[in-house]
Amino acid sequence: MEIYLYVFLLALAAGTLSGMIGTGSSLLLLPMLVHAFGPRAAMPVMAIAAIIGNLSRMVVWWRQIDWRAAVVYALFGMPAASLGAHTLLALPAWIIDCALGLFFWGMLPLRRYLHKTQRRLSLVQLSLCGAGIGFLTGLVLSTGPMSVPVFTAYGLRGGAFLATEAASALLLYSSKVGTFVAQDALSWQTALQGLLVGAGIMLGTVGSKSLLLKFPARTFDIVIDLLLFISGAALLYSAWCG
């Protein structure tokens, strides 16, 4: 019971963070979930929790969703996420940990590059980004730090960014969970664990709305980079020990 309490409290903190900056919940939670449930179970648990967390962000900022951008992004992203999930299920546990850790560390310089370009994306470019990020979402789970510069480059800010990114992510994660179900990789126990984590994320997200406008952009970048580095290090350590 203690491990479930720790996971729920961490999910609450992760939900507050993602409600303020649009990402970060899976970066913060994934190492703990891998430790608590194992790398194979942690992926579907986090996928279910991500659906609930993104749904809560959509509810909080419902009126500001750019549905055209969300649908275009997810149109190619959903089948790509399913393909990535199929690939994930065929990999050994230590490779999953290693891939996640290296991906998180690789996002550090990539995020800065995308931020410096400051280019405005078209709907066609947004759909192509959705396909690439969708596959990575199916394969390595957490691509929030990558979708942040994509949607901001499209021109979304504040609540509109949070809601639209959440709507597109909800569709991508739904495709991934559907793949887990089709491959018999989602037990009732795993589903309940995902609901527990998702409940914590939801409560944190709802409570974070009033904090959003007080969160400086510079602090946003520092928090994301710190989460990427720590989560990547924890997962690489897990892969080394495994």
Side-chain angles (χ1 to χ4, degrees):
M1 288 300 296
E2 288 185 1
I3 191 66
Y4 283 100
L5 178 60
Y6 291 147
V7 168
F8 179 80
L9 292 176
L10 188 59
L12 189 64
T16 302
L17 177 66
S18 65
M20 294 167 61
I21 62 179
T23 187
S25 60
S26 54
L27 295 176
L28 187 59
L29 281 169
L30 194 54
M32 169 62 82
L33 295 180
V34 169
H35 174 73
F37 308 130
R40 186 68 64 185
M43 304 303 282
V45 166
M46 191 62 237
I48 293 174
I51 288 177
I52 299 174
N54 284 299
L55 181 61
S56 64
R57 272 198 286 147
M58 288 176 60
V59 171
V60 171
W61 301 100
W62 179 261
R63 295 183 178 180
Q64 299 190 48
I65 298 176
D66 186 331
W67 285 107
R68 184 172 64 169
V71 171
V72 165
Y73 182 86
L75 187 62
F76 295 99
M78 290 178 68
S82 179
L83 178 61
H86 276 287
T87 306
L88 169 68
L89 292 173
L91 297 176
W94 72 269
I95 292 182
I96 297 174
D97 282 347
C98 189
L100 284 167
L102 292 176
F103 177 77
F104 287 168
W105 276 6
M107 284 303 304
L108 288 167
L110 183 58
R111 278 191 65 253
R112 295 189 178 277
Y113 169 77
L114 292 174
H115 181 71
K116 286 181 180 179
T117 58
Q118 293 293 322
R119 295 178 182 177
R120 186 73 174 264
L121 298 180
S122 66
L123 281 173
V124 173
Q125 291 171 324
L126 191 66
S127 67
L128 294 177
C129 290
I133 296 176
F135 178 78
L136 291 174
T137 300
L139 181 62
V140 301
L141 181 68
S142 179
T143 52
M146 196 175 217
S147 62
V148 167
V150 169
F151 279 100
T152 53
Y154 178 71
L156 299 177
R157 297 289 186 275
F161 156 70
L162 290 173
T164 306
E165 195 277 336
S168 64
L170 176 66
L171 294 173
L172 263 60
Y173 283 115
S174 296
S175 176
K176 182 171 182 175
V177 169
T179 302
F180 286 141
V181 172
Q183 296 294 313
D184 292 325
L186 185 64
S187 65
W188 281 108
Q189 181 181 4
T190 300
L192 291 174
Q193 290 166 344
L195 291 174
L196 173 69
V197 177
I201 294 177
M202 177 178 286
L203 289 174
T205 299
V206 172
S208 68
K209 183 176 182 179
S210 62
L211 301 175
L212 175 61
L213 297 178
K214 301 177 182 179
F215 204 74
R218 177 58 178 166
T219 304
F220 168 88
D221 289 331
I222 293 174
V223 170
I224 290 294
D225 286 345
L226 187 61
L227 283 172
L228 284 169
F229 181 80
I230 294 175
S231 296
L235 288 164
L236 287 172
Y237 177 77
S238 176
W240 176 267
C241 293

